[in-house]
Structures are given as structure tokens and as C-alpha cells.
Amino acid sequence: SSSSSSSSALAQQPHHAAELETILGWTLPADLPPRIAARVLQCHINIPDALPYVGPMLNNFFRFPVAGHYTLYNDLITSCMDAKCHDEALQIIAQVSAEPTYDKPFLWLRRAQCLFALRRLVEAEQQCNRVLEAIPANEAAQSLLERCKATLEPPAPRAPRPRSLWATPAATAAAAAAAGSI
């Protein structure tokens, strides 16, 4: 009951990191099953005051082998990206990338999306190209690559507008003289 009152108090008013640490705790106990540890980490990712603690918790989560826990790692990547924690998502992607059997083009695309969000456009473009080398028809990579290029390329110079003869001072003076007003 005190745990539910703490949870409802958390939902009703903002707390500072020290109060949240008291209510929730910031560690992943060693005996916590991977599925529960991933859920705890996902909850912390979505609490702004908890973000400084996500990195250490994430490093603690990496004790679970990627093999056999792909879905958990993928869910964490998604949670980080949704919460705009792109640096943390990149850490998870790096951890998962070390596993040889994981879907590399999918990871390259997720990495490209994070890099684009972080405005690291050249790196994002490189990752999109890797995806497209492996899967040429990948629409998400094609679209992101176009966005990278559009953001990287300066806008095309505008062609000069043709000037009207009437807009030049000499033409205006000549027209006025011809009309007899000078």
C-alpha cells in the first residue's frame, strides 16, 4: 500500500532525483531477471529526473548476454529513441552489434536514425548507405538518406530574376524622354 501511495504521489507531482532515488532506487539488483530489469530500465528512461542514472543502469544491464535477449535489447533501443535518449540508444546498438547473428542492416538503420537525431549527418548518411548496400529497396533508409542529403547540401542558388527593361535607370530615363515628360 505504501508502494502504491508512493507511485501515485510520483504521478501527481514532480520529484527531484534524490526523492526519486528514495522511492524507486537506481540500481538493477544482480538477481533481477532480464525481462524485469529491462522493464525497470525502460521506466527510468521515461522519468526526466532519472536520466543521469540510466547510463550506469544500462551498463549494469549489459551483463545479460545479447543472445537470447534480442527482444529486450530491441525494446530498450526503441524506448531510448522514443525518449530522445539517442546517445543511450547508440550504446545499446553498439552492444547488440557485437553479436554476430543479429540483423546488422536493422541496427545500421537504427544507428542512422539516432545519428540523424543527434545532427551527426555525415555518419547517419554512411549508415544509410550501409543499409542500402545490404538491402537496396529499404524505403526507410532511402528516405533518411534523402533527408540527410537535403540537410547537408546548401540550398541551390536561386537563378537571378530577369530584369524588366523598365526597372533599369537608363531604360526609365529613355522611356520618360520618349514620352516627353523630361
Side-chain angles (χ1 to χ4, degrees):
S1 171
S2 74
S3 132
S4 66
S5 66
S6 295
S7 297
S8 65
L10 178 63
Q12 293 173 6
Q13 58 184 321
H15 291 276
H16 298 291
E19 293 167 311
L20 284 172
E21 186 171 357
T22 303
I23 294 169
L24 300 173
W26 299 116
T27 59
L28 294 176
D31 61 344
L32 207 57
R35 187 174 48 83
I36 305 284
R39 186 65 187 127
V40 169
L41 191 47
Q42 286 174 311
C43 290
H44 284 75
I45 288 167
N46 291 307
I47 301 172
D49 285 344
L51 289 179
Y53 300 95
V54 169
M57 291 178 73
L58 195 52
N59 289 333
N60 188 300
F61 185 81
F62 290 154
R63 73 178 183 260
F64 300 115
V66 174
H69 301 295
Y70 293 131
T71 303
L72 297 178
Y73 277 94
N74 186 48
D75 290 348
L76 285 174
I77 293 168
T78 301
S79 294
C80 287
M81 290 175 71
D82 289 347
K84 311 272 187 267
C85 297
H86 297 101
D87 287 317
E88 289 78 5
L90 287 171
Q91 286 180 331
I92 300 167
I93 291 167
Q95 184 76 16
V96 176
S97 293
E99 178 62 39
T101 59
Y102 202 71
D103 182 5
K104 298 297 184 188
F106 176 74
L107 288 173
W108 297 332
L109 179 60
R110 301 298 287 272
R111 184 178 291 131
Q113 292 166 333
C114 290
L115 292 168
F116 183 83
L118 293 169
R119 311 304 288 164
R120 292 166 53 185
L121 303 175
V122 172
E123 294 169 271
E125 187 175 5
Q126 292 168 346
Q127 293 300 308
C128 288
N129 285 327
R130 288 178 79 183
V131 174
L132 293 171
E133 285 173 16
I135 308 169
N138 188 301
E139 291 178 14
Q142 290 171 350
S143 173
L144 186 58
L145 181 60
E146 289 171 13
R147 290 174 54 202
C148 287
K149 287 181 178 181
T151 306
L152 281 169
E153 293 175 3
R158 295 176 61 184
R161 279 187 10 202
R163 296 183 68 177
S164 165
L165 291 177
W166 303 110
T168 64
T172 304
S181 61
I182 295 186

